[in-house]
Structure formats: structure tokens, C-alpha cells
Amino acid sequence: RLFMLDYIVWESFKTVSKRLFSQFLRRSVWAYFFGSLAVLLNALMVHGLYFGWAPWAWGYALAIGLLVAPAVALLDLWWARRQLSKAQKVFLGQAKDLQEARQAYRNLVHWPLLSVARVMGPHLLSTMGGFLLAIDVAHRFGGFPTGPLDMLYLLPWYPINAALHAIIEYLVGASQSPRLLAYLRERFGDEVVVYPRLRIPFVLKVLGVLLALGLLPLLQVGSLVYFRLESTNLPGLVAWGLFSGLLLMVAGGILLSREVARPLQAVLEGMQAIQHGKGSVRVSAVAWDELADLALGFNNLAQALEAERQRNLELYRDTVQTLAAAIDARDPYTRGHSQRVGAYAQRIALKLGWDAQRAYQLYITGLLHDIGKIGVPEAILKKTDRLSAQERQMIESHPLIGYEIVRQSRALKAHLAGIRHHHERLDGCGYPDGLRGEAIPPEARILAVADIWDALTSHRPYRPALKPSEVYPRLLHEALDPEAVQALGALWREGALDALLEEAQQQGGVQSYLAEQKGDKEPSHPSFSMSKTE
């Protein structure tokens, strides 16, 4: 069962990771497409104005560009696939150990910079080579008015145009990778995180992006004028430079503002998550400036708070367990009873679909459910004869005593309902308040089932333990929550309660339940009726 559970969980993670990676690739491809289209149109405008093309030459040049673009795009996609190979291996389920996950995390952290390197390297060289080759063929055999030697005048301009594309790729890449980084952290924990060593001051990044996107078009116009002073289209080149510079500055400002807002928003959401009591809150936003230090500081703080919360939780649990053990120790026959009731109740709650945190709270309630027996004389607790009316009244007061003890602590408020009402019955014949049906809190209804189950499957001084096969049918006919009883029965049949049943037998100093089940001999004790005070 554990193997099957691990397999199902791993397959679920693979499905999610493949979907995330597919979305990442799809958005990156679209970003590359629009960036390439923008650069192509800019190149077309600059070349046409620079050389003074006739209208038909503009269409001819556009056709040449569209012919070369697919080959360049295929080379770019192949190169990008190589750059993302380590991340792809993890997200497609081909690797799942921590070391490979760290390599994938490092790969994605540097993805924006890798995109810049790809555009300014293979992309630029392949575009220049393919475009000049196509122009040469078109000029020689197709009547295109401009030859490759004329294009060499524009050689200093090509890196400037590629830089525009590189900046767009950087901004888009930084916006796409955080979701994958967050998934890797969730899947593999904090150990997977690899922080980039590069730090770019925030002011330089802002000025660099805005000035680059705004001034590069003017710079390329200036370089064109320098190399072709006799151009008759100087006003058109300047106008296009101003227009494209303004357009790119606006677009760059929007993208840059999103990049800045992303880690800030992530930190804000993380603070809100911590405020609402969520654990393992981390920020996975990518940044290479002071915002990266902010995210790192938040993660360190969140990790310290989580560790402190875990220590407090363990102290809280250990304190309650110690108190429960002290209560149970007053009677050797009930030693471990509160611990087992809490464990039974937690398993039943999970079986009924409760979330893990709420089920754990019920486990703590189970530890405390009999705390009121502190106020019951030890002689009555250990008495093996029939109880008098006064003694029974004393026994039945322990939920109220426990309620009064626990309500003094605000930290234990969530456990009050279970402590007070775990002896109530659906038919109203329980105590101390005689509640009926849905009026009984769900925590108390589950605890009632767990309490009786453990009492009857454990040894008592007035009778030996009953077999689960004897106890379960009785529970079905008692005024107990039927869903809780059925959940308990399912757990028993699955073998999920064997360890607790065996522990109950060992606490009584007799054979374990599992060994007893192997025997064919019928129990020699008579059938006992169910007691509401067990």
C-alpha cells in the first residue's frame, strides 16, 4: 500500500510538473515570436528608410525576412532546448533526486541571462548570416536592389537591434521562471534552492532597461547617419527612431514594473500566508538586485519562524502527552488509553476527509478527553464492583471537571467541545448535557467511537479484552455516529489499527491481539454489555 501510495503521489507530481513546464515553454515561445516580429519590423523600417527602397522592395525584403526567420527560429529553439535540458529532465519525470533538482533550479534561475546570451550569440550570428546570404541570392538572381556589400554599411547596427530583442527576452524570461522555481521548492524543499551570485544594483537595472529601450533606436539612427550622411531619408529615420524609442520605452517600463512588483507581491503574499498560520511559506521570485536580498531575507525569517513554531508545537504536544500519561497512570488498566483514543480519533477523522491539521487537533483533544478524572477519587476509578449511584455520579462528572480545567487556557479552547461531550449519545441518553444527534459536536462524536472502541478492546479488572470482531457489531447498534463507526470499521479491516490494538493488549500484560487472532479457541469470558462509563 505504501508503495502504491508513493507511486500515485509521484505520478501526480509528474502530471503537474509536465503541465507547468509545457505552459512555461508555450509562453516562452510566444514571447520569442513577438520579440522576433518586433525586431524584424524594426529592421525592415530601418533598411527601407536607409536605402530609400521603392514600395515593391519593401515587400520583397519582408518576404526574404519571413523566409529566413523559420530557419533561425529552429536553431534558436534547439539552442534553448539545450539550455533548458537540466530543467526539462526533472520536469518531465526523468529524474527526481535532489542533486538534479538543484541543477534544474540553477538552470531556471539563470534562464533570463541565458536567453540574453542566446540572442546576442547564436541568434545574432545566424540571423546576419542567413539574411546576408538570402540578400546575395536575391540580388544576383532575383533583381533585389540592394546587395550584401551595401548591407555591410549596417554591420555596427545589427548588434544594437539584437540588444533590443535580448532585453525583451530577459524581461519575459524573468517573468516566466518563478512558477517553476516555486514548484521545485515545494517538491524538494529548501535544500533545492540555489541563489544567484550576480547582483545588479536596482538603480542601474532601471536606468539600463529604460535608457537601452528608449535610446537604442536613436543610437541606431545615429550610427546609420554616420555611415551614410548622404541619405535623403534622414527625417524619416529620425522620426522612426523617436517613435520606436518611445514605444519600446513604454513597453519596457511596463515589463520592468512587473519584474519589480513580482518579488514584492510574493513577499506580501508570503507575509499574509504566515499571518493565516500556513507553514513552509517561501518566496521563489527571481531577481538580481536588492529585491533578491529582500526575498532571501524573507525566506530566512520564514524558515526561522517555522522552526520556532515546530519547536513550540512539539513542546505543546509533549506537555499534553505527559499530562495524559499522568492521568492514565492512576489506573494501570487504563495506561495509554488517552494516547490510543487520540490516535484512533485522528485516523477516523482523516478517513472521513478531515484535513491533517484539524485531525491533529482532534488527536490532542483525545489526549485531554479524560483530564477531568483528576477530580475523581482513585478508589472509585479502580473499583471492580458495581458502582453506587453516588459513585457513578462522581464518574460522570469528569467531562465537566475536565471542561472547567481546560477552559482556563485560551490555547486549548479548540478542545473544549470534545472534552465536555465525548460521552454524549445520539439518542440523548449520554452525559453531561444529554445532547442529541447533530447537536453533539463532530469532534465529540468521533471521540465517543474511539473511546468505546479502545475501552472494549483493552483489558479491564472486571473483564478481559474483547476481540474487534466482537466490538464492531456492537458499535453499529449503539447510539453513535454511524459514519464514524463505519470509518473505524474500514480502518480495522485495512489493518490500520493493528499496532494500536497490539499496544492495548501489551499494556494489559497479556498476549497481543494479533497473536490472539491466530487461535481458534473461543474466549472463556461471558459477553459484557456496553457501559457508558468505560
Side-chain angles (χ1 to χ4, degrees), residues 101-120:
R102 286 176 63 85
Q103 293 176 355
Y105 195 97
R106 183 185 292 108
N107 196 185
L108 291 169
V109 165
H110 293 97
W111 169 245
L113 298 180
L114 292 174
S115 299
V116 171
R118 187 186 72 252
V119 171
M120 296 303 296

Side-chain angles (χ1 to χ4, degrees), residues 268-279 281:
L268 177 61
E269 291 175 354
M271 294 173 63
Q272 292 173 342
I274 291 177
Q275 184 179 0
H276 288 89
K278 294 183 179 179
V281 178

Side-chain angles (χ1 to χ4, degrees), residues 12 32 76 116 127 164 218 227 263 309 321 350 356 380 388 396 411 468-469 471:
S12 175
Y32 172 81
D76 254 13
V116 171
T127 300
L164 296 174
L218 294 178
F227 285 100
R309 177 179 174 273
Q321 286 179 339
L350 291 173
I380 297 177
S388 67
E396 292 181 356
S469 57
V471 176

Side-chain angles (χ1 to χ4, degrees), residues 395-409:
I395 284 284
E396 292 181 356
S397 68
H398 80 270
L400 289 176
I401 296 174
Y403 177 86
E404 291 299 324
I405 293 173
V406 172
R407 79 184 185 93
Q408 306 302 317
S409 171

